[in-house]
Amino acid sequence: MTVWVEGATGKAGKRVVAALAEAGLKVRAASRHPGAPAGNVTPVRFDWYDESTWDESLAGAEALFLKGLDSDENAADLMARLIKSAAQANRVVLMSQHGVERSPAHTPRGRVEQAVRDSGRDWTILRPNWLMQNFDEDEYVYAAAVREDDEVVAGSGDHVVSFVDSRDVADAAAVVLSQDGHQGRDYNLTGPEALTYGQIAEILAKVSGRPIRHVDADLARHRAHFAKSGRSDAWADHMMQLFELIRADIFAPVTDSVERLTGHAPRTFEDYARETFAA
């Protein structure tokens, strides 16, 4: 089977590519800036906003791993057109977002999920919670402030999140892409515990030996933090909405989906932190 992986250089996508390649599947690793081929991985150029890249990128794809666009109002239409363009792909796996099923159906992510269900293909939806790797790989959300200021900036109070390691998400994706029995199903993927951002900061401080602390930012400071990224107002709005969901405890539940799909327990946040920040 040949699997086309969108966002193949991102936090989750690059690990999905690695997991699929390790399982012996052929991978078309789609991104705006593809690298060099390696083994059974063929990097291909793909841009959501340049449809001239679509057909060549999707050539030969028998299954699709999709992430889509978080804050674009046209995301569902783009998703539907892309799936239709992949004429040979009978299996579609969408990496959505934990909590979407409890959000209004008209949100961009809710509409994207519906576009996948309505695609006429065998679909599976994975809804991972917030990724642990945001703390070292996502400059815009946490990583820059952690690295430069020893701060975890999060207007979250004492509310908890069951963070999940992107490697566990990738392992789950490889299973549902390569094995039968997951069509028409959705899975909420979490780590084994729910933590406050204060506890997150304590773990990072302990393993790194640095005075990392949680900054429980008010709305104005939190928005200013996201604005420093230079990204669009729509993205900042999206992030502020996600933190509203944190304060509503939408991201608090812990599930056993990772273990049921992969056969191994999900990694803890301290596992991730020791591997990433101890140096």
Side-chain angles (χ1 to χ4, degrees):
M1 178 188 292
T2 298
V3 182
W4 184 89
V5 177
E6 182 225 336
T9 58
K11 292 186 295 295
K14 65 185 179 184
R15 293 176 171 96
V16 172
V17 169
L20 291 169
E22 185 176 348
L25 279 72
K26 295 179 180 179
V27 182
R28 293 181 70 78
S31 68
R32 286 181 296 172
H33 306 289
N40 51 348
V41 177
T42 303
V44 292
R45 183 172 177 269
F46 170 76
D47 187 333
W48 278 109
Y49 298 110
D50 181 359
E51 295 191 30
S52 68
T53 67
W54 290 14
D55 286 347
E56 183 176 351
S57 169
L58 290 162
E62 299 166 272
L64 308 178
F65 175 83
L66 300 165
K67 178 180 179 295
L69 302 162
D70 288 326
S71 53
D72 192 308
E73 287 298 319
N74 296 318
D77 291 336
L78 285 168
M79 182 70 73
R81 293 209 304 274
L82 180 82
I83 296 172
K84 187 176 181 180
S85 297
Q88 299 177 32
N90 293 318
R91 181 169 298 185
V92 177
V93 174
L94 172 68
M95 189 181 86
S96 186
Q97 182 177 290
H98 193 77
V100 169
E101 74 282 10
R102 297 174 63 184
S103 301
H106 66 270
T107 61
R109 270 283 161 194
R111 295 201 301 270
V112 165
E113 286 197 5
Q114 194 59 50
V116 170
R117 293 190 193 95
D118 293 342
S119 66
R121 315 296 172 89
D122 291 336
W123 60 265
T124 307
I125 294 174
L126 301 178
R127 298 194 188 105
N129 212 333
W130 289 68
L131 299 179
M132 296 176 186
Q133 279 70 18
N134 286 335
F135 289 93
D136 71 292
E137 295 184 21
D138 198 318
E139 295 292 291
Y140 304 131
V141 182
Y142 309 117
V146 169
R147 185 181 63 250
E148 297 168 9
D149 304 316
D150 288 330
E151 293 180 345
V152 175
V153 180
S156 56
D158 291 328
H159 298 276
V160 297
V161 176
S162 52
F163 294 92
V164 64
D165 194 299
S166 60
R167 292 169 293 183
D168 293 327
V169 176
D171 290 345
V175 168
V176 299
L177 281 161
S178 62
Q179 299 179 15
D180 292 330
H182 304 286
Q183 294 88 346
R185 302 186 66 178
D186 49 64
Y187 299 95
N188 288 330
L189 307 178
T190 76
E193 59 193 343
L195 301 169
T196 68
Y197 278 85
Q199 291 171 317
I200 291 294
E202 289 175 4
I203 292 171
L204 294 178
K206 178 176 70 173
V207 303
S208 68
R210 293 162 45 197
I212 297 173
R213 65 190 183 93
H214 171 215
V215 176
D216 191 13
D218 61 24
L219 294 178
R221 177 169 179 180
H222 210 183
R223 188 172 187 87
H225 167 73
F226 292 131
K228 286 193 299 184
S229 70
R231 299 186 75 181
S232 67
D233 288 343
W235 179 80
D237 290 341
H238 172 67
M239 294 306 301
M240 295 299 286
Q241 289 165 2
L242 289 179
F243 272 88
E244 287 181 17
L245 298 178
I246 288 177
R247 294 188 293 272
D249 295 321
I250 297 299
F251 301 118
V254 173
T255 74
D256 64 353
S257 295
V258 167
E259 186 160 11
R260 284 193 292 115
L261 286 171
T262 68
H264 67 71
R267 295 167 175 88
T268 68
F269 190 86
E270 188 156 348
D271 292 335
Y272 152 77
R274 288 191 181 282
E275 293 176 24
T276 309
F277 288 88

